Amino acid sequence: MPRGLAVGAGVVAAGAVALTVGLWPDEGGGSGNAARGNGERASSSAPPRAPEPTKSYAPSEAPATIPAVRAHEAARGPGWRPGDGGRVLVGDGRLADEARLLAGELRLKYGGEAKPRAGDVRLELSKGDRGAGGGAESYTLTVKNRVVRIAGPAEAGVFYGTRTLKQAVADGRTAPEGVVRDQPAKPRRGFMIDTARKHFSAEWIEDRIRDLGDLKYNEIGLHFSDDQAFRIASESHPEIVSADHLTKDQVRRIVDLAASRHITVVPEIDSPGHLGAVIRAHPDLQLRNTGGAPTQGAVDISKPKAAEIVDDLLREYDELFPGARWHLGADEYQALTVRDPEASFPQLAAAARDRLGPGARVQDLATAWLNDRAKTVGPGRQVRAWNDGFFRGGVTRVDDRVEVAYWTGKELGSREPVEYLRDGRDVINYNDEFLYYVLGQPNDFRYPTGQRIYEQWTPRVVRGTQPVPASYDRQILGATFAVWCDLANSQTQDEVARGIRMPLRATAQKLWDAREPTRSWAEFEGLAGRLG
């Protein structure tokens, strides 16, 4: 990144050919060196003065940001940095929230829909401006004549342009002259936190959202229901809620903060496994085998009451989580981990045949359960389920609109990623080898490092370390970095925040631009330190 060399009030890009008086031009474009002395004008008969020396600027370089911008058109000029009297303006009132946020961050004034002048930033919606050729998340950022213009076809792209500007001027630096054209490589850029096994405060989650926004993430997942606890208040089933939980008002503030950063909160109520918190309040719903032994975390899906409770919760939280996406879980249903599910759980086998026909098996009943929950959430939502909730064969299949959240190849029912892709499924990458931060590192998990993600992972590396063929790239919607709290007391909230800092930055870079990074890991890490 070029470091500006400040002289007086001016900034000159590194590598400039010449440097003289370091003053911004005045409003009329002059040097500001008007004739002085008692208000008298210079005499027209005075001898001609030697020409004023002028600045010469080297071509600018792209701003140094995380993630890096996709394209930058160099230009010569002083660039821009925030200063006294600078304003953030809008060309459309719908951008007022983005403008006020940026103004507060850069200590500028919000000026509404005024005409820009030197020192200002103007945010614009422009349907004809498609950024780097993308859609709603694309933008252009132009620095020219001491004015910054950020434009895009939708608010999200303009917001990302403000993140680029914020980083470009961090630590007293100067936004370089020229034009940035930018857009993400992947439409889903997520972070997920397991709040069921470990309670995280609302303030901690809000801090993560602010960080995610600056890194241009657009999802945060809340896995708030599991065997250990249920962490959000409920009026329909207060009996299942754990002592440490988020109130609905806290969740609304989280959702609102996320929305202000163009981040969708993706809730997850995992079922029909991982429902231990529900079973403690309703022990009659626990799945038992022919010998009467309970099955951990699994409800008996032959009992209508199990579906009624889960659907009550999904409907109750419909208003609380207005975003377009839901995670329905569906992984690790323990009825399907035994050698012969039909023999071990005859009640499930009978329910499968009654509902789905004589050839149906327990896996078909589990598939029907997932499809029923997708119907409860409604057709207006994008829904996803863990990959081990999809099964080969059977008499029924998961609804086509359910996206695959691919996390592992180790679980029963899981298949190679290419099988899902070949079947036409859209996939979200949760690769447990690169993107799983599991507290306590149980079951051979190791804390992922930012360097390994940065140097070895791409969105096409869905399972293990090998990428799927490039022909499937468009079906891989993106990826999610996940924190799982299997051994909840292994780290404090602050330790988790420190541990995920660089992995989140590396993941952001690889989701925004799938090309090989131009910076070394040491340079990337150093940049992260400078940006704060």
Side-chain angles (χ1 to χ4, degrees), residues 62-63 68-74 132 139 141 179-183 512-513 515:
V69 301
R70 301 283 295 276
H72 176 256
E73 180 182 315
Y139 70 92
L141 186 157
V179 182
V180 168
R181 292 182 173 85
D182 207 10
Q183 65 171 346
W512 192 266
D513 190 347
R515 297 173 298 184

Side-chain angles (χ1 to χ4, degrees), residues 395-406:
V395 300
T396 188
R397 58 174 275 140
V398 176
D399 189 288
D400 288 342
R401 75 185 180 98
V402 180
E403 301 163 348
V404 180
Y406 198 103

Side-chain angles (χ1 to χ4, degrees), residues 348-369 371-372 394-397:
L348 298 184
R353 292 191 299 270
D354 289 345
R355 177 173 178 181
L356 302 167
R361 296 176 291 167
V362 173
Q363 72 171 51
D364 295 300
L365 191 65
T367 297
W369 170 282
N371 288 341
D372 288 345
V395 300
T396 188
R397 58 174 275 140

Side-chain angles (χ1 to χ4, degrees), residues 189-193 195 205-206 209 212 217-224 232 246 250-268 317-318 320-327 381-382 384:
R189 306 177 301 281
F191 169 65
M192 192 225 75
I193 179 69
T195 66
I205 297 170
E206 289 167 356
I209 289 171
L212 295 173
Y217 281 86
N218 62 8
E219 284 189 359
I220 181 169
L222 297 181
H223 178 92
F224 62 89
I232 294 179
L246 297 174
Q250 287 175 321
V251 173
R252 289 187 182 99
R253 287 195 293 272
I254 288 169
V255 169
D256 288 346
L257 178 64
S260 74
R261 268 66 175 177
H262 296 274
I263 295 171
T264 298
V265 179
V266 182
E268 180 189 357
Y317 295 131
D318 179 76
L320 192 62
F321 296 103
R325 299 161 199 159
W326 260 94
H327 199 319
R381 305 263 192 171
Q382 296 164 327
R384 68 189 69 165

Side-chain angles (χ1 to χ4, degrees), residues 95-360:
L95 295 171
D97 289 342
E98 288 79 7
R100 288 191 174 95
L101 175 63
L102 183 66
E105 292 169 330
L106 301 187
R107 299 182 179 179
L108 302 174
K109 295 179 181 178
Y110 172 64
E113 298 186 36
K115 182 178 180 181
R117 63 187 181 224
D120 288 346
V121 179
R122 180 176 169 88
L123 310 184
E124 301 175 359
L125 289 175
S126 176
K127 291 184 179 180
D129 190 336
R130 304 299 288 181
E137 293 187 311
S138 67
Y139 70 92
T140 60
L141 186 157
T142 304
V143 179
K144 184 178 181 181
N145 297 331
R146 292 176 54 209
V147 173
V148 178
R149 174 182 175 268
I150 300 173
E155 292 97 319
V158 174
F159 171 74
Y160 296 139
T162 69
R163 301 306 86 191
T164 296
L165 181 64
K166 178 185 176 183
Q167 290 191 31
V169 300
D171 197 27
R173 287 171 168 77
T174 300
E177 203 86 2
V179 182
V180 168
R181 292 182 173 85
D182 207 10
Q183 65 171 346
K186 292 297 179 182
R188 307 283 184 85
R189 306 177 301 281
F191 169 65
M192 192 225 75
I193 179 69
D194 170 15
T195 66
R197 293 178 178 88
K198 181 181 182 69
H199 177 62
F200 289 84
S201 69
E203 292 77 15
W204 188 92
I205 297 170
E206 289 167 356
D207 284 344
R208 304 288 75 70
I209 289 171
R210 295 183 184 96
D211 193 36
L212 295 173
D214 284 353
L215 296 171
K216 302 184 175 83
Y217 281 86
N218 62 8
E219 284 189 359
I220 181 169
L222 297 181
H223 178 92
F224 62 89
S225 168
D226 214 301
D227 294 345
Q228 292 76 7
F230 191 96
R231 299 288 190 187
I232 294 179
S234 169
E235 282 81 44
S236 66
H237 291 283
E239 72 279 3
I240 71 172
V241 179
S242 303
D244 291 327
H245 65 272
L246 297 174
T247 68
K248 286 192 172 181
D249 281 344
Q250 287 175 321
V251 173
R252 289 187 182 99
R253 287 195 293 272
I254 288 169
V255 169
D256 288 346
L257 178 64
S260 74
R261 268 66 175 177
H262 296 274
I263 295 171
T264 298
V265 179
V266 182
E268 180 189 357
I269 297 178
D270 201 348
S271 74
H274 294 281
L275 284 174
V278 172
I279 291 169
R280 278 194 296 276
H282 299 275
D284 56 308
L285 296 181
Q286 185 158 34
L287 178 66
R288 295 178 180 273
N289 65 16
T290 53
T295 304
Q296 180 181 357
V299 295
D300 188 333
I301 57 177
S302 70
K303 295 183 176 182
K305 183 180 175 183
E308 290 171 6
I309 290 177
V310 174
D311 284 348
D312 286 345
L313 295 166
L314 292 173
R315 293 189 184 101
E316 177 182 359
Y317 295 131
D318 179 76
E319 168 272 332
L320 192 62
F321 296 103
R325 299 161 199 159
W326 260 94
H327 199 319
L328 298 173
D331 64 314
E332 298 181 319
Y333 186 50
Q334 297 300 308
L336 294 167
T337 63
V338 299
R339 183 178 60 83
D340 189 344
E342 285 69 36
S344 295
F345 305 101
Q347 75 276 32
L348 298 184
R353 292 191 299 270
D354 289 345
R355 177 173 178 181
L356 302 167

Side-chain angles (χ1 to χ4, degrees), residues 371-417:
N371 288 341
D372 288 345
R373 307 293 77 78
K375 290 177 183 176
T376 299
V377 169
R381 305 263 192 171
Q382 296 164 327
V383 292
R384 68 189 69 165
W386 298 112
N387 63 290
D388 50 319
F390 296 73
F391 301 96
R392 290 187 183 94
V395 300
T396 188
R397 58 174 275 140
V398 176
D399 189 288
D400 288 342
R401 75 185 180 98
V402 180
E403 301 163 348
V404 180
Y406 198 103
W407 70 283
T408 187
K410 306 180 184 73
E411 296 294 324
L412 181 72
S414 66
R415 294 172 278 167
E416 291 285 344

